[in-house]
Amino acid sequence: MTSIIKHGKKEAQEIIERVIGQLKHLQGGAVEEKCPIGIISMENWEWPQGVGLFSLYLYYRKTQRTEIKQYLIDWFDRRIAEGLPYKNVNTMCPMLTLSFLAEETGREDFMSLCREWAEYAAAEMPRTEEGGIQHVVSGHLNEGELWDDTLYMTVLFVSRMGLLLQEQRYIDEGIYQFLLHLKYLTDRRTGLLFHGWTFNGRHHFAEALWARGNSWYTAGIVDYLELVQLPKPVERLLLSALEQQAAKLAELQASDGMWHTLLDDPSSYTETSATAAFAYGILKAVRKGFLPEAYRNIGAKAYAAVVSRIDSEGVVQGVSYGTGMGRTLQAYRDIPVCPMPYGQSMALLMLIEGLEH
């Protein structure tokens, strides 16, 4: 089997180091921040930082490099000392990494926070009709709305805490949220996911098949299946959804290996964070036996495309800024592009997975 890493593992490791260096030191200023909590600098507590932290934790787990673990511990200590933001879907994201650190360090202050936030997510977080987790974010209640981002930002953490605390209702809640989100967000024509659904009017907003939103499922499902032992019929359904999605992604992949920010719209720009997350999810799914070997080439092509967009300093280029629910397709085409923590982190996850192939 030919390695997907074009120039060898030593060069891949060097790229990884540069990407990590830039992830730690990203600062705002590239675009005007529109979110109440800044989502560019790693010194804030929001979902992009949460994604970045998790990628660093997985790299630590693979390499056992203690300085990475210490960076993560110090990051949480600083944020806790500053005071945490209010609990919502997106601010839940850093808690996934904290749950691993709490277990590994034995620190009760970390574990206490994890218990508190998990119980809030499972029992108190606002719900839509049918008990879906309402996509409440900093500054917006989004009443009655389900978004595909929620599964990655909140449900992975709740499920992880179910395993850690042996709390079956958390595990059951995670299963229910995955199934309910697939029920309402799946585009049956393509197997892709719409960005969102609202029970207030019962529609899919602009009917956007948004790349990064789809990639949260592709990347998230392979990690979810590592976190929780699912009933076989549930696992079968979730993997069936993944293969449906992957089949359409193979059809829509651009000639250079990228995917467009609106997956079915070649006039929209190609977007690097989604392409990296697709590459990560597809390659890992093939390695785990979740997808047929034939998909490996799709992931490898995407891997090479993302590497070509990492500059000599380790900055991942071509990443779209945080994207709220678009009421028109043009809104997605108009999202500005700038380096972001999740661009760095999804490229990092992809690069780490590439070492396995």
Side-chain angles (χ1 to χ4, degrees):
M1 184 181 291
T2 304
S3 172
I4 68 169
I5 302 173
K6 186 176 180 182
H7 300 296
K9 293 191 176 182
K10 182 180 178 182
E11 182 171 337
Q13 289 284 5
E14 291 171 354
I15 296 172
I16 286 171
E17 294 304 319
R18 291 196 292 271
V19 168
I20 288 174
Q22 292 295 340
L23 170 62
K24 291 178 179 179
H25 299 110
L26 282 181
Q27 294 294 330
V31 298
E32 181 182 353
E33 292 265 38
K34 295 183 178 180
C35 300
I37 301 173
I39 62 173
I40 297 178
S41 169
M42 275 300 290
E43 293 303 300
N44 292 322
W45 180 296
E46 251 287 1
W47 69 268
Q49 294 81 9
V51 178
L53 295 166
F54 188 54
S55 70
L56 286 173
Y57 177 76
L58 292 183
Y59 189 52
Y60 156 70
R61 197 164 69 181
K62 180 178 178 62
T63 63
Q64 292 298 302
R65 286 173 50 184
T66 56
E67 74 273 15
I68 297 175
K69 176 183 172 182
Q70 193 60 50
Y71 169 84
L72 294 170
I73 292 170
D74 291 346
W75 188 94
F76 279 103
D77 282 340
R78 289 197 303 276
R79 302 290 84 76
I80 292 167
E82 293 166 357
L84 302 189
Y86 80 86
K87 303 177 184 72
N88 61 50
V89 167
N90 284 347
T91 58
M92 282 282 160
C93 191
M95 298 304 294
L96 178 60
T97 302
L98 189 62
S99 73
F100 285 100
L101 291 176
E103 180 183 34
E104 190 160 334
T105 63
R107 283 183 52 170
E108 181 53 35
D109 57 339
F110 283 3
M111 185 60 75
S112 178
L113 274 175
C114 289
R115 289 194 194 97
E116 175 190 332
W117 282 57
E119 181 61 19
Y120 176 83
E124 299 179 52
M125 188 171 277
R127 293 300 198 267
T128 67
E129 291 179 32
E130 297 189 41
I133 292 178
Q134 181 174 308
H135 195 81
V136 179
V137 299
S138 302
H140 297 280
L141 287 176
N142 297 324
E143 291 184 13
E145 297 181 15
L146 299 176
W147 294 24
D148 49 16
D149 321 43
T150 300
L151 297 174
Y152 198 98
M153 304 308 161
T154 291
V155 177
L156 290 184
F157 165 63
V158 172
S159 302
R160 157 70 180 161
M161 290 302 295
L163 179 67
L164 195 57
L165 302 178
Q166 297 185 335
E167 183 63 75
Q168 188 61 42
R169 66 189 174 95
Y170 291 175
I171 294 172
D172 291 345
E173 182 67 18
I175 291 171
Y176 183 75
Q177 293 302 326
F178 263 93
L179 297 180
L180 188 73
H181 279 70
L182 285 179
K183 173 183 176 181
Y184 280 101
L185 297 181
T186 300
D187 174 19
R188 289 175 173 81
R189 297 166 300 176
T190 63
L192 301 172
L193 300 178
F194 291 116
H195 188 180
W197 164 265
T198 177
F199 286 96
N200 299 333
R202 305 185 75 86
H203 58 76
H204 291 108
F205 299 95
E207 299 192 357
L209 300 174
W210 176 48
R212 191 161 61 241
N214 270 267
S215 76
W216 293 132
Y217 185 79
T218 320
I221 192 63
V222 292
D223 293 333
Y224 180 56
L225 292 174
E226 284 189 329
L227 293 174
V228 181
Q229 185 70 40
L230 297 175
K232 287 299 179 185
V234 174
E235 180 179 304
R236 181 181 174 188
L237 189 146
L238 296 181
L239 289 178
S240 172
L242 175 64
E243 188 161 2
Q244 271 202 101
Q245 185 199 51
K248 192 64 178 178
L249 288 173
E251 179 185 324
L252 295 175
Q253 189 174 29
S255 59
D256 63 356
M258 299 289 289
W259 279 279
H260 296 270
T261 197
L262 290 171
L263 288 166
D264 58 344
D265 178 9
S267 73
S268 66
Y269 57 77
T270 53
E271 205 279 329
T272 310
S273 69
T275 300
F278 286 139
Y280 168 70
I282 289 170
L283 290 170
K284 188 169 182 176
V286 170
R287 178 168 60 85
K288 292 281 189 178
F290 300 151
L291 285 176
E293 177 66 25
Y295 285 97
R296 187 172 180 275
N297 288 336
I298 305 300
K301 190 175 179 181
Y303 178 100
V306 172
V307 169
S308 74
R309 292 198 173 193
I310 302 173
D311 70 21
S312 60
E313 301 298 315
V315 178
V316 180
Q317 302 290 344
V319 177
S320 64
Y321 185 71
T323 304
M325 187 59 60
R327 269 53 180 182
T328 66
L329 294 178
Q330 189 59 40
Y332 293 86
R333 301 183 190 106
D334 292 341
I335 297 293
V337 172
C338 65
M340 297 295 296
Y342 48 83
Q344 300 296 125
S345 59
M346 296 318 298
L348 175 59
L349 286 177
M350 180 202 77
L351 290 163
I352 296 166
E353 178 62 29
L355 298 174
E356 304 288 341
H357 293 259

